[in-house]
């Protein structure tokens, strides 16, 4: 029978104070998972530490992005901040937003057309009066002379709203009352 012996071990010393464990900040609370290691005659249990810090990407802070973007006008900033107050599953109209902002529906539509943060800043939640889809991504529902129109973009707008829970009638108008609770 062959006997296995481990090589002699020497204590490990850290090359510099910077490399010592005392230099590193404390680790966050962790969970442990036991691991079983089997040798010829002994079973030992060790622990593997799992960090509780999430590495999943965090959603952008749109309020900060809006405030710090140099290419956005003060009026567009007001429009985008107002969009952030519309809850998911709700919609409003260009007219209601323009009344709140003391502006015109066309000015609101022009600001929405330039929205660089869509769909995070949800311009798709703004509909025309009568709850019809209106425009989306700078295009309207009829085809333009060059054959490129807003049909595909309106399908996209309707699908975004549908995913959020907005229902539509057989003529494509959103069902329900437009959101008016602007802050």
């Amino acid at each position: 029978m062959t006997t296995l012996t481990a090589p002699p071990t020497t204590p490990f010393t850290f090359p510099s104070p910077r490399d010592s464990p005392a230099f590193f900040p404390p680790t966050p609370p962790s969970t442990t998972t036991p691991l079983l290691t089997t040798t010829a005659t002994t079973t030992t249990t060790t622990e593997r530490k799992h960090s509780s810090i999430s590495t999943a990407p965090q959603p952008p802070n749109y309020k900060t992005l809006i405030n710090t973007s140099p290419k956005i006008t003060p009026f567009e900033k007001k429009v985008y901040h107002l969009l952030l107050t519309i809850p998911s599953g709700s919609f409003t109209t260009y007219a209601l937003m323009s009344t709140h902002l003391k502006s015109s529906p066309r000015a609101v539509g022009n600001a929405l057309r330039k929205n660089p943060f869509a769909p995070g800043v949800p311009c798709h939640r703004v509909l025309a009066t009568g709850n019809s889809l209106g425009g989306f991504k700078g295009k309207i529902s009829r085809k333009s002379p060059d054959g490129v129109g807003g049909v595909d973009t309106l399908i996209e707008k309707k699908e975004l709203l549908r995913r959020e829970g907005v229902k539509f009638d057989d003529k494509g108008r959103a069902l329900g009352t437009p959101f008016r609770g602007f802050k």
Side-chain angles (χ1 to χ4, degrees):
M1 179 161 109
T2 307
T3 305
L4 298 174
T5 59
T9 60
T10 58
F12 178 77
T13 58
F14 290 98
S16 74
R18 179 178 160 80
D19 296 326
S20 75
F23 180 80
F24 297 104
T27 56
S30 63
T31 59
T32 58
T33 305
L35 295 176
L36 295 179
T37 307
T38 305
T39 59
T41 59
T42 320
T43 300
T44 59
T45 302
T46 59
E47 293 182 349
R48 176 188 299 172
K49 293 190 176 188
H50 299 282
S51 174
S52 62
I53 297 175
S54 172
T55 58
Q58 298 297 313
N61 181 339
Y62 289 108
K63 288 181 181 181
T64 302
L65 287 174
I66 292 166
N67 289 335
T68 58
S69 180
K71 295 183 179 183
I72 298 174
T73 68
F75 177 74
E76 290 168 348
K77 288 179 183 186
K78 288 179 186 178
V79 171
Y80 301 154
H81 281 294
L82 197 59
L83 283 173
L84 292 174
T85 66
I86 304 168
S88 179
S90 298
F91 62 90
T92 192
T93 66
Y94 299 100
L96 289 171
M97 285 185 71
S98 67
T99 299
H100 182 80
L101 294 169
K102 297 178 177 65
S103 182
S104 72
R106 187 176 299 266
V108 170
N110 283 334
L112 297 181
R113 180 175 52 86
K114 298 175 187 175
N115 180 3
F117 308 114
V121 177
C123 54
H124 63 277
R125 294 182 188 154
V126 184
L127 305 179
T129 301
N131 299 354
S132 63
L133 290 173
F136 190 55
K137 294 184 175 180
K139 301 204 165 71
I140 55 174
S141 60
R142 59 185 177 273
K143 285 198 173 187
S144 59
D146 63 358
V148 179
V151 176
D152 291 338
T153 59
L154 289 181
I155 292 170
E156 181 183 353
K157 181 176 186 174
K158 191 173 186 179
E159 185 56 32
L160 286 168
L161 289 165
R162 202 177 262 143
R163 284 184 204 156
E164 293 180 352
V166 176
K167 307 269 188 234
F168 293 88
D169 66 12
D170 58 344
K171 294 182 181 177
R173 291 181 301 224
L175 299 172
T177 304
F179 177 78
R180 299 169 192 261
F182 299 115
K183 299 173 184 169

